[in-house]
Amino acid sequence: MLLSSSVVRSCRILARQLSSRILATQSSFHNPSEHNCVIRYLHTTPCHHDNETHFGYQTIPESEKESKVKEVFERVAETYDLMNDAMSLGVHRLWKDHFVTSAAPKPNYKCLDVAGGTGDIAFKLHNHMSNINRDCEKIVVCDINKEMLRVGQERAKESGAEDAYIWLEGNAELLELPDNTFDLYTIAYGIRNCTHIEKVLEEAYRVLKPGGRFMCLEFSEVNNPVLSQVYEKYSHDVIPVLGQVIAGDFESYQYLVESIRKFPNQETFAEMIAAAGFEIVEYENLTFGVTAIHSGYKL
């Protein structure tokens, strides 16, 4: 039985009210200098219907996907960065560098990096801004998985820049963050794991200031037929085996490959971004479309 839109709205409002820390959290983003590198837990679970969705190539109830994805990233958290190097032969570092350079954040920007647990994008954003002016804004890193956040927090401490970040455990589909707060919203290799991509985009639009920019780095579709066949074979035959050898986990990396195949292609995703209200929507293919950068503005 489908729920009415008013019931869905009520569920979302109730979920927000259940967080006893929401007022403190909201006020914190108006004065982020009060915070050190502390993980602040935001337990926000969207109201799911009994519809079905995909988990890789499997079809499962929507209510199960969030927990299954969390299990995957709990298992891979410790070896996630190493596996990224192995799977992409290190090229993911160049993609991320180009992504942050394209974002061009200014030192006074309030930045939110979603699904950013291990900190790769946040660290690059901070380096970019601090090279312009050392006195730059703290970067908010949000991820649904506390194990990924723990790894990112440890890396921040090792770098000596732990005070540059605020770490939040939260759901991209229902962010416990105030409206019109951020100048830049980034999400890298995370949106394809969300149950409702359209809700993630709606939340991104909500928390961005007018004039703010949404940027997404995600695996996409290789349009060259020959390269596509090579990439397909490498993805399905090699990456899960690397997962087994390096991380002792075949199934998690098989899921990650399958999740790429289920994600919308470049044009379809650009249309979804525009449908969420963003303007000047565009995308750039990297490495023949293996990955793509999508961008849009809240005007």
Side-chain angles (χ1 to χ4, degrees):
M1 181 177 66
L2 295 177
L3 300 178
S4 68
S5 59
S6 62
V7 173
V8 174
R9 285 195 299 272
S10 297
C11 288
R12 299 185 71 184
I13 292 170
L14 179 60
R16 287 192 171 95
Q17 292 174 340
L18 288 176
S19 173
S20 61
R21 302 180 184 181
I22 182 171
L23 293 178
T25 302
Q26 287 185 349
S27 64
S28 74
F29 289 97
H30 296 291
N31 190 9
S33 61
E34 296 176 356
H35 296 279
N36 293 321
C37 182
V38 176
I39 297 178
R40 302 182 179 276
Y41 296 108
L42 301 178
H43 300 287
T44 55
T45 302
C47 180
H48 293 303
H49 306 177
D50 287 333
N51 297 334
E52 292 183 332
T53 188
H54 62 83
F55 177 74
Y57 292 155
Q58 300 177 45
T59 300
I60 61 172
E62 285 187 346
S63 58
E64 295 181 8
K65 182 167 182 175
E66 181 180 314
S67 62
K68 284 182 173 292
V69 171
K70 287 178 77 171
E71 288 173 6
V72 166
F73 284 95
E74 283 172 1
R75 292 198 298 267
V76 305
E78 290 290 344
T79 56
Y80 186 71
D81 294 316
L82 177 61
M83 276 300 303
N84 283 340
D85 280 328
M87 289 190 302
S88 70
L89 303 178
V91 177
H92 77 102
R93 297 176 182 271
L94 300 178
W95 294 335
K96 291 172 180 176
D97 285 342
H98 181 66
F99 178 64
V100 170
T101 300
S102 299
K106 297 177 182 178
N108 64 335
Y109 272 20
K110 293 184 183 296
C111 300
L112 171 64
D113 183 37
V114 176
T118 61
D120 258 13
I121 298 300
F123 300 155
K124 292 177 185 295
L125 289 169
H126 173 71
N127 289 340
H128 182 96
M129 293 190 294
S130 62
N131 283 338
I132 301 171
N133 187 333
R134 283 191 164 277
D135 187 22
C136 58
E137 289 282 345
K138 288 177 181 280
I139 296 168
V140 181
V141 185
C142 179
D143 199 291
I144 198 170
N145 191 288
K146 62 184 178 183
E147 284 301 308
M148 297 287 281
L149 287 168
R150 181 184 60 77
V151 172
Q153 190 179 25
E154 289 175 354
R155 291 179 64 196
K157 288 180 179 178
E158 291 171 1
S159 72
E162 62 266 33
D163 291 341
Y165 312 97
I166 299 172
W167 304 85
L168 299 175
E169 183 184 352
N171 193 314
E173 296 184 21
L174 191 62
L175 296 169
E176 292 292 352
L177 297 170
D179 297 355
N180 305 313
T181 299
F182 296 97
D183 299 284
L184 177 65
Y185 174 116
T186 57
I187 183 167
Y189 305 116
I191 198 168
R192 75 179 190 278
N193 297 304
C194 298
T195 307
H196 303 100
I197 295 171
E198 68 280 2
K199 289 183 180 179
V200 177
L201 295 172
E202 289 169 6
E203 283 290 89
Y205 188 88
R206 180 182 66 80
V207 301
L208 280 168
K209 297 176 182 178
R213 189 180 188 185
F214 167 84
M215 290 197 69
C216 177
L217 179 67
E218 188 55 86
F219 290 109
S220 200
E221 183 177 86
V222 177
N223 293 320
N224 182 292
V226 176
L227 290 176
S228 179
Q229 289 182 11
V230 174
Y231 177 54
E232 190 81 11
K233 188 169 182 60
Y234 172 78
S235 298
H236 283 94
D237 295 350
V238 177
I239 290 178
V241 175
L242 284 175
Q244 180 63 42
V245 172
I246 295 174
D249 191 340
F250 184 95
E251 291 183 355
S252 292
Y253 287 92
Q254 183 178 41
Y255 157 73
L256 292 174
V257 170
E258 292 174 357
S259 68
I260 295 169
R261 298 299 173 265
K262 299 295 289 185
F263 189 70
N265 66 20
Q266 291 90 324
E267 289 291 341
T268 302
F269 186 45
E271 291 170 2
M272 295 175 73
I273 295 169
F278 290 100
E279 299 186 43
I280 318 178
V281 177
E282 56 188 6
Y283 67 85
E284 176 186 4
N285 283 329
L286 305 179
T287 316
F288 306 103
V290 170
T291 198
I293 296 172
H294 280 75
S295 171
Y297 290 86
K298 178 178 177 177
L299 300 179

